[in-house]
Amino acid sequence: DPLWSRGLGDVYKRQALGASAALGAFHPFAAHAQVDQVKVYFGFPAGSSGDTVARRVAEKWAGSAFSKNPGVVENKPGAGGRIALETLKAAPADGSVLAVAQVSALANYPHIYSKMNYTDKDFAPVSIAAIMHHGLAVGPMVPASVKNVKDFLAWAKANPKDASYGSPGAGSTPHFLGALLGINSGVDLRHVPYRGSIPGVTDVVGGQVAAMVTPHGDFIANYKAGKLRILATSGPKRSIYVPDVPTFAEQGFPELTTEEWFGFYAPAATPKPVIAAANAAINAALKEKSVIDSLAIVGLMPHGSTPEEQARWQKAEYDSWGPLIKKIGFCLLYTSPSPRDQRGS
């Protein structure tokens, strides 16, 4: 089945549901002491699409029932986002510290790494924040005659020494999409893990690596500038941000249809009234035009939720990815790497 059908489902019919439901689900906040300022950890470099989510949402918290001042983002790149979550696990459970993470860090990684310094029990879901599609892009290392996925696979097969693709981290959804593309087509594509999207995109544009699979919003600026070519996107339909780019499914690879999301998390022991206040502040921010416009620039669709919905979606992702990862054998091929095992900074 397409990855999309085993995870988020028909998200387009639910874009407005999560935010409205969350705003009405929790009140009053009588037991919550307003935080002076909230720190938000994000496990990838500044400038990436997820970083935009964290910053644009957190800056809207000033004067809310959750926080007196705007939130501040602290980037902790490395290990596919795990460093940020490991740091959050040990943080005070009083609302003063949250993290933004991609769902794969909690749904995929437990199936991959034999040893991790956290589990999903260490965190409390707060709210989904944004939906993303992934993309496959190539740079100047790949000839201009390569215009679609099948062209890229033919080129990769003919040029095995250069047939590589980057991803924002080992074990990430983009990593798996590239691996599945290679396995299903019988083409050996070497994976190059980075510490986030931006270092990898920089290397693609610079001709140091052939291709990259990552949230497609991280390609858009260079795509519009003609510095790289996006060959496919992973959504169930074409991206509204690059409508001229066909999906994987349109090109004969329906098994690569998937969507992923970024969500806010708190330490597990955070009191429910604090989670409620944070949830309301996040969902209110996601409805502001300036936030919606900022997310659009990096190819993200705002989507709030209740904590319960976020937990259900995360569990669905965990259940659906497990058998696939085991079947392909990633749980055997990849042990938990040091942050130094990944390129970029």
Side-chain angles (χ1 to χ4, degrees):
D1 294 337
L3 304 181
W4 171 70
S5 69
R6 298 181 288 104
L8 297 182
D10 192 4
V11 71
Y12 292 99
K13 295 180 181 178
R14 307 174 68 182
Q15 288 291 319
L17 176 62
S20 60
L23 285 172
F26 303 104
H27 66 84
F29 307 130
H32 165 60
Q34 187 185 42
V35 177
D36 183 64
Q37 187 169 57
V38 182
K39 180 183 293 183
V40 181
Y41 294 132
F42 181 61
F44 297 92
S48 62
S49 56
D51 179 72
T52 298
V53 173
R55 292 180 188 276
R56 298 293 81 80
V57 172
E59 69 186 14
K60 298 296 183 180
W61 293 341
S64 68
F66 177 45
S67 175
K68 295 178 183 178
N69 296 293
V72 294
V73 174
E74 183 173 325
N75 298 90
K76 291 188 172 294
R82 296 197 307 282
I83 292 174
L85 289 174
E86 290 168 3
T87 308
L88 178 69
K89 175 183 174 179
D94 58 4
S96 63
V97 183
L98 301 178
V100 168
Q102 76 283 14
V103 65
S104 59
L106 292 146
N108 294 17
Y109 292 0
H111 298 298
I112 304 163
Y113 301 116
S114 57
K115 294 181 181 180
M116 293 208 314
N117 295 326
Y118 66 80
T119 72
D120 63 332
K121 304 299 182 185
D122 293 315
F123 310 110
V126 181
S127 179
I128 295 170
I131 305 294
M132 58 180 157
H133 294 168
H134 298 295
L136 167 66
V138 296
M141 181 183 289
V142 180
S145 58
V146 173
K147 299 182 183 300
N148 55 47
V149 178
K150 290 182 180 178
D151 287 348
F152 173 68
L153 291 172
W155 173 84
K157 191 171 184 178
N159 297 272
K161 291 184 179 180
D162 295 327
S164 62
Y165 73 97
S167 85
S172 64
T173 298
H175 169 197
F176 287 138
L177 290 176
L180 285 170
L181 177 63
I183 290 170
N184 291 348
S185 62
V187 177
D188 185 15
L189 299 176
R190 181 172 57 89
H191 176 234
V192 183
Y194 284 86
R195 298 178 67 184
S197 298
I198 302 304
V201 173
T202 299
D203 278 0
V204 170
V205 170
Q208 295 172 280
V209 66
M212 181 85 177
V213 182
T214 203
H216 81 297
D218 292 328
F219 293 135
I220 290 177
N222 284 298
Y223 172 70
K224 290 182 176 179
K227 296 180 179 179
L228 53 70
R229 288 120 54 208
I230 304 177
L231 303 183
T233 55
S234 70
K237 57 181 69 174
R238 292 194 183 195
S239 166
I240 60 175
Y241 304 117
V242 285
D244 54 325
V245 177
T247 65
F248 281 109
E250 287 181 83
Q251 300 182 63
F253 303 91
E255 71 278 8
L256 300 183
T257 302
T258 189
E259 294 176 308
E260 197 175 5
W261 45 268
F262 289 111
F264 281 85
Y265 291 87
T270 305
K272 288 187 177 180
V274 177
I275 297 293
N279 176 276
I282 292 165
N283 279 275
L286 290 170
K287 297 174 75 174
E288 294 204 21
K289 186 178 184 301
S290 61
V291 174
I292 295 170
D293 291 345
S294 293
L295 296 187
I297 292 172
V298 291
L300 296 176
M301 296 169 284
H303 189 291
S305 76
T306 65
E308 292 78 12
E309 183 179 21
Q310 182 179 0
R312 288 195 301 270
W313 282 23
Q314 180 179 306
K315 179 64 162 55
E317 289 290 291
Y318 175 86
D319 290 343
S320 63
W321 275 105
L324 179 62
I325 292 169
K326 185 176 182 180
K327 178 181 178 181
I328 298 173
F330 284 116
C331 52
L332 301 176
L333 292 174
Y334 292 93
T335 56
S336 185
S338 160
R340 295 174 184 170
D341 294 336
Q342 301 190 36
R343 298 175 65 177
S345 60

